Amino acid sequence: MDETELHARFTSYPAKTRKRDGVHQEIRDAGLKAALLINTHVPAGREQSLAVTKLEEAVFWANKGIATHTDL
């Protein structure tokens, strides 16, 4: 998988406050780091693709949880 595509998958989710933006970014950075490791060490194919997709989903749901709770 192309690293440019991985960066695009883990770089966007709008934040409503500066504090949330920092937390969103930490989540995205952790997801990207894991995706790059998978991309490096898992042979290209279905398993690699599914692993990256599941990470992308995890980042999305974590950031949605942050974005939808007003107490942050």
Side-chain angles (χ1 to χ4, degrees):
M1 191 173 300
D2 184 83
E3 282 193 30
T4 302
E5 181 181 344
L6 289 175
H7 281 275
R9 287 185 178 204
F10 292 90
T11 55
S12 62
Y13 202 98
K16 295 179 181 177
T17 67
R18 182 168 278 177
K19 179 180 178 183
R20 284 185 188 181
D21 187 48
V23 177
H24 282 303
Q25 191 59 51
E26 285 183 60
I27 300 277
R28 287 190 298 266
D29 290 347
L32 176 58
K33 182 176 180 179
L36 290 168
L37 282 170
I38 289 167
N39 196 53
T40 299
H41 298 291
V42 178
R46 182 172 187 267
E47 292 84 0
Q48 183 195 73
S49 179
L50 286 171
V52 171
T53 297
K54 297 301 179 184
L55 277 171
E56 188 176 8
E57 290 173 359
V59 168
F60 171 83
W61 288 113
N63 279 334
K64 182 176 182 191
I66 293 163
T68 58
H69 286 83
T70 59
D71 60 338
L72 294 175

